[in-house]
PDB file of all heavy atoms in Angstrom:
ATOM      1  N   ASN A  15     -12.749 -16.830   0.431  1.00 98.00           N
ATOM      2  CA  ASN A  15     -11.388 -17.083   0.963  1.00 98.00           C
ATOM      3  C   ASN A  15     -10.756 -15.793   1.610  1.00 98.00           C
ATOM      4  O   ASN A  15      -9.993 -16.030   2.461  1.00 98.00           O
ATOM      5  CB  ASN A  15     -10.474 -17.540  -0.340  1.00 98.00           C
ATOM      6  CG  ASN A  15     -10.768 -18.826  -0.851  1.00 98.00           C
ATOM      7  OD1 ASN A  15     -11.018 -19.760  -0.063  1.00 98.00           O
ATOM      8  ND2 ASN A  15     -10.989 -18.887  -2.195  1.00 98.00           N
ATOM      9  N   LEU A  52     -13.141  -4.991   3.022  1.00 98.00           N
ATOM     10  CA  LEU A  52     -13.432  -3.694   3.700  1.00 98.00           C
ATOM     11  C   LEU A  52     -13.702  -3.989   5.182  1.00 98.00           C
ATOM     12  O   LEU A  52     -13.411  -3.252   6.108  1.00 98.00           O
ATOM     13  CB  LEU A  52     -14.587  -2.901   3.082  1.00 98.00           C
ATOM     14  CG  LEU A  52     -14.106  -2.108   1.720  1.00 98.00           C
ATOM     15  CD1 LEU A  52     -15.271  -1.591   1.031  1.00 98.00           C
ATOM     16  CD2 LEU A  52     -13.037  -1.191   2.013  1.00 98.00           C
ATOM     17  N   CYS A  54     -12.442  -6.551   6.807  1.00 98.00           N
ATOM     18  CA  CYS A  54     -11.213  -6.737   7.469  1.00 98.00           C
ATOM     19  C   CYS A  54     -10.474  -5.452   7.808  1.00 98.00           C
ATOM     20  O   CYS A  54      -9.849  -5.308   8.921  1.00 98.00           O
ATOM     21  CB  CYS A  54     -10.395  -7.581   6.534  1.00 98.00           C
ATOM     22  SG  CYS A  54     -10.780  -9.327   6.477  1.00 98.00           S
ATOM     23  N   ARG A  57     -11.417  -3.880  10.957  1.00 97.00           N
ATOM     24  CA  ARG A  57     -11.041  -4.650  12.284  1.00 97.00           C
ATOM     25  C   ARG A  57      -9.564  -4.785  12.330  1.00 97.00           C
ATOM     26  O   ARG A  57      -9.229  -4.927  13.584  1.00 97.00           O
ATOM     27  CB  ARG A  57     -11.593  -6.058  12.148  1.00 97.00           C
ATOM     28  CG  ARG A  57     -13.096  -6.313  12.272  1.00 97.00           C
ATOM     29  CD  ARG A  57     -13.570  -7.688  12.191  1.00 97.00           C
ATOM     30  NE  ARG A  57     -13.374  -8.385  10.940  1.00 97.00           N
ATOM     31  CZ  ARG A  57     -12.497  -9.454  10.689  1.00 97.00           C
ATOM     32  NH1 ARG A  57     -11.787  -9.872  11.622  1.00 97.00           N
ATOM     33  NH2 ARG A  57     -12.512 -10.122   9.626  1.00 97.00           N
ATOM     34  N   ARG A  68     -11.849  -4.950 -14.284  1.00 95.00           N
ATOM     35  CA  ARG A  68     -11.082  -6.119 -14.604  1.00 95.00           C
ATOM     36  C   ARG A  68     -10.111  -6.035 -15.824  1.00 95.00           C
ATOM     37  O   ARG A  68     -10.726  -5.593 -16.916  1.00 95.00           O
ATOM     38  CB  ARG A  68     -11.939  -7.378 -14.730  1.00 95.00           C
ATOM     39  CG  ARG A  68     -11.176  -8.628 -14.706  1.00 95.00           C
ATOM     40  CD  ARG A  68     -11.967  -9.945 -14.673  1.00 95.00           C
ATOM     41  NE  ARG A  68     -11.185 -11.012 -14.461  1.00 95.00           N
ATOM     42  CZ  ARG A  68     -11.515 -12.288 -14.580  1.00 95.00           C
ATOM     43  NH1 ARG A  68     -12.638 -12.534 -14.925  1.00 95.00           N
ATOM     44  NH2 ARG A  68     -10.699 -13.232 -14.405  1.00 95.00           N
ATOM     45  N   VAL A  76       0.336  -4.830 -11.328  1.00 97.00           N
ATOM     46  CA  VAL A  76       1.081  -3.551 -11.508  1.00 97.00           C
ATOM     47  C   VAL A  76       0.382  -2.443 -10.735  1.00 97.00           C
ATOM     48  O   VAL A  76       1.109  -1.655 -10.098  1.00 97.00           O
ATOM     49  CB  VAL A  76       1.041  -3.068 -13.095  1.00 97.00           C
ATOM     50  CG1 VAL A  76       1.507  -1.801 -13.241  1.00 97.00           C
ATOM     51  CG2 VAL A  76       1.830  -4.162 -13.876  1.00 97.00           C
ATOM     52  N   ASP A  86       4.319   3.822   0.386  1.00 90.00           N
ATOM     53  CA  ASP A  86       5.221   3.396   1.456  1.00 90.00           C
ATOM     54  C   ASP A  86       6.587   3.080   0.977  1.00 90.00           C
ATOM     55  O   ASP A  86       6.903   3.034  -0.174  1.00 90.00           O
ATOM     56  CB  ASP A  86       4.446   2.216   2.210  1.00 90.00           C
ATOM     57  CG  ASP A  86       4.826   2.169   3.640  1.00 90.00           C
ATOM     58  OD1 ASP A  86       5.764   2.892   4.060  1.00 90.00           O
ATOM     59  OD2 ASP A  86       4.125   1.366   4.388  1.00 90.00           O
ATOM     60  N   PHE A  98      -5.594 -19.885  -0.992  1.00 97.00           N
ATOM     61  CA  PHE A  98      -5.058 -20.831  -0.136  1.00 97.00           C
ATOM     62  C   PHE A  98      -4.039 -21.762  -0.624  1.00 97.00           C
ATOM     63  O   PHE A  98      -3.630 -22.706  -0.025  1.00 97.00           O
ATOM     64  CB  PHE A  98      -5.988 -21.490   1.002  1.00 97.00           C
ATOM     65  CG  PHE A  98      -6.531 -20.468   2.070  1.00 97.00           C
ATOM     66  CD1 PHE A  98      -7.830 -19.929   1.898  1.00 97.00           C
ATOM     67  CD2 PHE A  98      -5.673 -20.332   3.043  1.00 97.00           C
ATOM     68  CE1 PHE A  98      -8.173 -19.114   2.824  1.00 97.00           C
ATOM     69  CE2 PHE A  98      -6.212 -19.546   4.120  1.00 97.00           C
ATOM     70  CZ  PHE A  98      -7.419 -18.771   3.989  1.00 97.00           C
ATOM     71  N   ILE A 112      14.822 -13.707   2.149  1.00 98.00           N
ATOM     72  CA  ILE A 112      15.307 -12.347   1.699  1.00 98.00           C
ATOM     73  C   ILE A 112      16.310 -11.880   2.767  1.00 98.00           C
ATOM     74  O   ILE A 112      17.254 -11.199   2.497  1.00 98.00           O
ATOM     75  CB  ILE A 112      14.142 -11.418   1.634  1.00 98.00           C
ATOM     76  CG1 ILE A 112      13.201 -12.086   0.608  1.00 98.00           C
ATOM     77  CG2 ILE A 112      14.560 -10.023   1.103  1.00 98.00           C
ATOM     78  CD1 ILE A 112      13.583 -12.163  -0.824  1.00 98.00           C
ATOM     79  N   ASP A 114      18.150 -13.507   4.411  1.00 97.00           N
ATOM     80  CA  ASP A 114      19.427 -14.206   4.337  1.00 97.00           C
ATOM     81  C   ASP A 114      20.219 -13.781   3.245  1.00 97.00           C
ATOM     82  O   ASP A 114      21.359 -14.123   2.916  1.00 97.00           O
ATOM     83  CB  ASP A 114      19.071 -15.677   4.167  1.00 97.00           C
ATOM     84  CG  ASP A 114      20.221 -16.480   4.327  1.00 97.00           C
ATOM     85  OD1 ASP A 114      21.082 -16.287   5.213  1.00 97.00           O
ATOM     86  OD2 ASP A 114      20.435 -17.541   3.471  1.00 97.00           O
ATOM     87  N   VAL A 148       8.414 -24.295 -21.265  1.00 88.00           N
ATOM     88  CA  VAL A 148       8.593 -23.053 -22.133  1.00 88.00           C
ATOM     89  C   VAL A 148       9.378 -22.018 -21.550  1.00 88.00           C
ATOM     90  O   VAL A 148      10.246 -21.478 -22.078  1.00 88.00           O
ATOM     91  CB  VAL A 148       7.161 -22.562 -22.644  1.00 88.00           C
ATOM     92  CG1 VAL A 148       7.288 -21.249 -23.386  1.00 88.00           C
ATOM     93  CG2 VAL A 148       6.427 -23.663 -23.543  1.00 88.00           C
ATOM     94  N   ILE A 155      14.801 -19.103 -18.673  1.00 90.00           N
ATOM     95  CA  ILE A 155      14.809 -18.841 -17.200  1.00 90.00           C
ATOM     96  C   ILE A 155      15.232 -20.075 -16.620  1.00 90.00           C
ATOM     97  O   ILE A 155      14.809 -20.594 -15.412  1.00 90.00           O
ATOM     98  CB  ILE A 155      13.365 -18.422 -16.679  1.00 90.00           C
ATOM     99  CG1 ILE A 155      12.815 -17.366 -17.603  1.00 90.00           C
ATOM    100  CG2 ILE A 155      13.417 -17.862 -15.278  1.00 90.00           C
ATOM    101  CD1 ILE A 155      11.305 -17.002 -17.314  1.00 90.00           C
ATOM    102  N   ASN A 175      14.129  -3.264 -10.028  1.00 97.00           N
ATOM    103  CA  ASN A 175      15.013  -3.455 -11.266  1.00 97.00           C
ATOM    104  C   ASN A 175      14.305  -4.263 -12.362  1.00 97.00           C
ATOM    105  O   ASN A 175      14.851  -4.281 -13.437  1.00 97.00           O
ATOM    106  CB  ASN A 175      16.340  -4.338 -10.757  1.00 97.00           C
ATOM    107  CG  ASN A 175      17.296  -3.425 -10.017  1.00 97.00           C
ATOM    108  OD1 ASN A 175      17.151  -2.226 -10.143  1.00 97.00           O
ATOM    109  ND2 ASN A 175      18.261  -4.040  -9.356  1.00 97.00           N
ATOM    110  N   TYR A 178       8.853  -3.635 -13.556  1.00 96.00           N
ATOM    111  CA  TYR A 178       7.471  -4.282 -13.693  1.00 96.00           C
ATOM    112  C   TYR A 178       6.480  -3.401 -14.346  1.00 96.00           C
ATOM    113  O   TYR A 178       5.547  -4.094 -15.005  1.00 96.00           O
ATOM    114  CB  TYR A 178       6.912  -4.772 -12.309  1.00 96.00           C
ATOM    115  CG  TYR A 178       6.558  -3.624 -11.344  1.00 96.00           C
ATOM    116  CD1 TYR A 178       5.543  -3.073 -11.478  1.00 96.00           C
ATOM    117  CD2 TYR A 178       7.571  -2.994 -10.576  1.00 96.00           C
ATOM    118  CE1 TYR A 178       5.152  -1.915 -10.710  1.00 96.00           C
ATOM    119  CE2 TYR A 178       7.289  -1.942  -9.801  1.00 96.00           C
ATOM    120  CZ  TYR A 178       6.105  -1.426  -9.695  1.00 96.00           C
ATOM    121  OH  TYR A 178       5.829  -0.422  -9.033  1.00 96.00           O
ATOM    122  N   VAL A 190       5.614 -14.802 -15.430  1.00 95.00           N
ATOM    123  CA  VAL A 190       6.811 -15.304 -16.000  1.00 95.00           C
ATOM    124  C   VAL A 190       7.637 -14.136 -16.565  1.00 95.00           C
ATOM    125  O   VAL A 190       8.864 -14.136 -16.537  1.00 95.00           O
ATOM    126  CB  VAL A 190       6.307 -16.159 -17.252  1.00 95.00           C
ATOM    127  CG1 VAL A 190       7.523 -16.755 -18.065  1.00 95.00           C
ATOM    128  CG2 VAL A 190       5.668 -17.389 -16.645  1.00 95.00           C
ATOM    129  N   LYS A 194      11.502 -13.312 -15.757  1.00 95.00           N
ATOM    130  CA  LYS A 194      12.522 -13.231 -16.861  1.00 95.00           C
ATOM    131  C   LYS A 194      13.364 -11.968 -16.646  1.00 95.00           C
ATOM    132  O   LYS A 194      14.591 -11.901 -16.749  1.00 95.00           O
ATOM    133  CB  LYS A 194      11.730 -13.206 -18.192  1.00 95.00           C
ATOM    134  CG  LYS A 194      12.725 -13.294 -19.443  1.00 95.00           C
ATOM    135  CD  LYS A 194      11.866 -13.588 -20.799  1.00 95.00           C
ATOM    136  CE  LYS A 194      12.737 -13.772 -21.800  1.00 95.00           C
ATOM    137  NZ  LYS A 194      13.219 -12.473 -22.468  1.00 95.00           N
ATOM    138  N   PRO A 211      -1.501 -26.890  -1.754  1.00 89.00           N
ATOM    139  CA  PRO A 211      -2.872 -27.526  -1.873  1.00 89.00           C
ATOM    140  C   PRO A 211      -3.737 -26.852  -2.889  1.00 89.00           C
ATOM    141  O   PRO A 211      -3.591 -25.662  -3.200  1.00 89.00           O
ATOM    142  CB  PRO A 211      -3.452 -27.310  -0.519  1.00 89.00           C
ATOM    143  CG  PRO A 211      -2.761 -26.096   0.044  1.00 89.00           C
ATOM    144  CD  PRO A 211      -1.386 -25.840  -0.558  1.00 89.00           C
ATOM    145  N   VAL A 241      21.046 -14.577 -18.894  1.00 54.00           N
ATOM    146  CA  VAL A 241      22.303 -14.603 -18.041  1.00 54.00           C
ATOM    147  C   VAL A 241      22.047 -15.834 -16.983  1.00 54.00           C
ATOM    148  O   VAL A 241      21.149 -15.788 -16.337  1.00 54.00           O
ATOM    149  CB  VAL A 241      22.468 -13.331 -17.323  1.00 54.00           C
ATOM    150  CG1 VAL A 241      23.783 -13.380 -16.553  1.00 54.00           C
ATOM    151  CG2 VAL A 241      22.642 -12.210 -18.422  1.00 54.00           C
TER     152      VAL A 241
END
Side-chain angles (χ1 to χ4, degrees):
N15 292 315
L52 289 173
C54 285
R57 290 185 289 115
R68 192 170 189 193
V76 172
D86 208 349
F98 283 99
I112 303 296
D114 192 45
V148 170
I155 317 177
N175 282 345
Y178 66 85
V190 175
K194 186 167 186 285
V241 180

